[in-house]
Amino acid sequence: MSEKNILTKLNKFNRREFLKTTAVSGLAFGASLTLPSWQVFAQNSSLHINRLAIPQQEKGRQEAGVKIFDLEIQDGETEFFEGIKTKTRGVNGSLLGPTLRMNNGDIVRLNVKNSIGETTTMHWHGIHLPAKYDGGPHQPIKSGEIWSPQFEIMQKAANYWYHPHLMGKTADHVWQGIAGMIIVDDEESKALSLPSEYGVDDIPLVLQDRRFERDGSMEYRPTRHDIMSGMIGDVALANGTISAYFEASTNLVRLRLLNGANASIYNLGFSDNRNFLQISTDGSMLEKPYETNSIILSPGERAEIIVDVSDKKTITLENKITSTSGSMGGGNLDFKFLEIRPADNLNTLPSIPNQLTKIDWIDESEATNTRTFMMSMQMGPMMMLGLGKSHTINGKSMKMDRIDEVVKLDTTEIWEVSNDSMLAHPFHIHLVQFQIISRNGKQPHAGERGLKDTVLIHPGETVRFIAKFETYADKKYPYMYHCHILEHEDAGMMGQFLVV
Ligand code: C2O
Ligand code: CU
Ligand code: CU
């Protein structure tokens, strides 16, 4: 069957199913039930019928030594399913946002206009910047206003991202589609011979999952259970595309993976379990490529991988179900993110270098302070009724007017984060990139030996990491640390620290 035939067939199937189910829904079911046919269509069918969307790449405009980016957060509609318009939100478009491309050392100004009719914020995840420009809960942008933070990029080459971070509303705003990637290049990364033609052999991939309702809408309506365990969808999206495929024209393909989900922890690999190379973590390249056949990415985490498709087999990037999937929200769902179809004639790219970067490893003896954090979920009946604090760090749930930790400028600290709940939690800290020292006393594996700003803490685990707090003292504005399962963050699993 030709691609066009499959397409027409599926669309017909879809429309018919849609009419059938909507006709029934008014009679027998509540409006908030999910539509089984979407699930059948998008998951059980391994047909990949939509060309992967590649976000526009924005390099900014130069004005008096400043690189300026204009971003407008807006309402829109997206046609996930042929003929069905779904209300979504995006940045400079109807869903997700452009990939912002910056260089280490750039002075950037981001003009963020809020056109969604309600207050939101814009946070620069993983970026080292002054607290008042962080875009967290203390920098609300009112509807109709423009917020223009300006700062210097001081990062190693890697992938970062931006998303709203309004107190209690982060999950909702991200779910609706407000998020985008930031790629930072530096002198070192530019000199490496890696696939680097954006959208051709160097592909940004925002991985998410969403739940669609009977009428095709994907409004944010979490149940109490969703708030406890995180809002998990049943349909996989790559750059906002459902059932996506990508035609590879080169023997090596570089994928810049971002877990942009609200709550799902993905264990990513290819349908034939082939090996690939992981070349970066959240905030840096790995010193050397790490060969593996799976990579766990929890919400907020990023990693770049290189996959070799010279055998010209069609493969699918998917969520692999493992024995620990139970404690990982979304970990046991069969998400198929992207089918990669190699062309008949593939251009051959140079092989991947053995040395990618050099990381300045911080010695534990440099730390002058150790802080401990316990991530907890209280599951008692009072909590299930929503009476009381259910998601806490060190027994406290987030309060805007309470500073939890004060870090001295120009110090190095060890943070020891534990999890006594039954679910895994990705712990994220603003401002700094850290280095993992150990997981339950053991060295982190090779894929985690890069700079990080988010780290998954499994039930019963203690992760120790070390970071330098070298700049940006501010007595007034705090930075956040929190669980990056957005429902948990909104439910209070977040704290604030000052650098003074
Ligand atoms: Cu990606 Cu505090 O967030
Ligand atoms: Cu962040
Ligand atoms: Cu959590």
Side-chain angles (χ1 to χ4, degrees), residues 439-463:
R439 284 187 173 274
N440 273 354
K442 293 199 197 75
Q443 291 230 321
H445 72 78
E448 289 191 318
R449 293 190 199 151
L451 301 186
K452 300 275 297 162
D453 54 56
T454 307
V455 58
L456 185 61
I457 324 275
H458 294 279
E461 200 172 37
T462 295
V463 173

Side-chain angles (χ1 to χ4, degrees), residues 246-346:
F246 169 75
E247 287 170 322
S249 58
T250 50
N251 63 328
L252 301 176
V253 182
R254 176 184 192 173
L255 301 174
R256 298 175 182 264
L257 308 175
L258 157 66
N259 182 335
N262 276 40
S264 295
I265 297 163
Y266 302 134
N267 180 29
L268 300 163
F270 291 97
S271 40
D272 64 356
N273 281 316
R274 73 179 52 200
N275 282 1
F276 54 84
L277 296 178
Q278 181 191 343
I279 60 167
S280 74
T281 51
D282 299 334
S284 75
M285 299 295 246
L286 289 170
E287 293 192 313
K288 292 178 181 4
Y290 166 55
E291 188 170 348
T292 178
N293 66 358
S294 71
I295 179 170
I296 293 180
L297 281 189
S298 60
E301 287 186 296
R302 293 87 64 205
E304 283 169 67
I305 63 170
I306 308 256
V307 58
D308 187 329
V309 296
S310 33
D311 62 0
K312 294 183 188 162
K313 256 181 73 181
T314 294
I315 49 170
T316 306
L317 176 70
E318 58 190 27
N319 190 36
K320 300 278 182 192
I321 296 158
T322 65
S323 54
T324 57
S325 293
S327 66
M328 307 200 310
N332 50 6
L333 288 173
D334 183 25
F335 294 124
K336 302 206 185 315
F337 289 102
L338 179 69
E339 184 176 274
I340 300 178
R341 300 178 190 162
D344 292 336
N345 289 306
L346 294 172

Side-chain angles (χ1 to χ4, degrees), residues 123-127 134 161 163 165 302 428-431 453-454 480 482 484 489:
H123 167 59
W124 321 103
H125 179 128
I127 304 280
D134 194 32
W161 64 303
H163 63 78
H165 211 305
R302 293 87 64 205
H428 167 54
I429 170 175
H430 291 203
L431 175 67
D453 54 56
T454 307
M480 307 293 129
H482 57 91
H484 218 288
E489 173 189 335

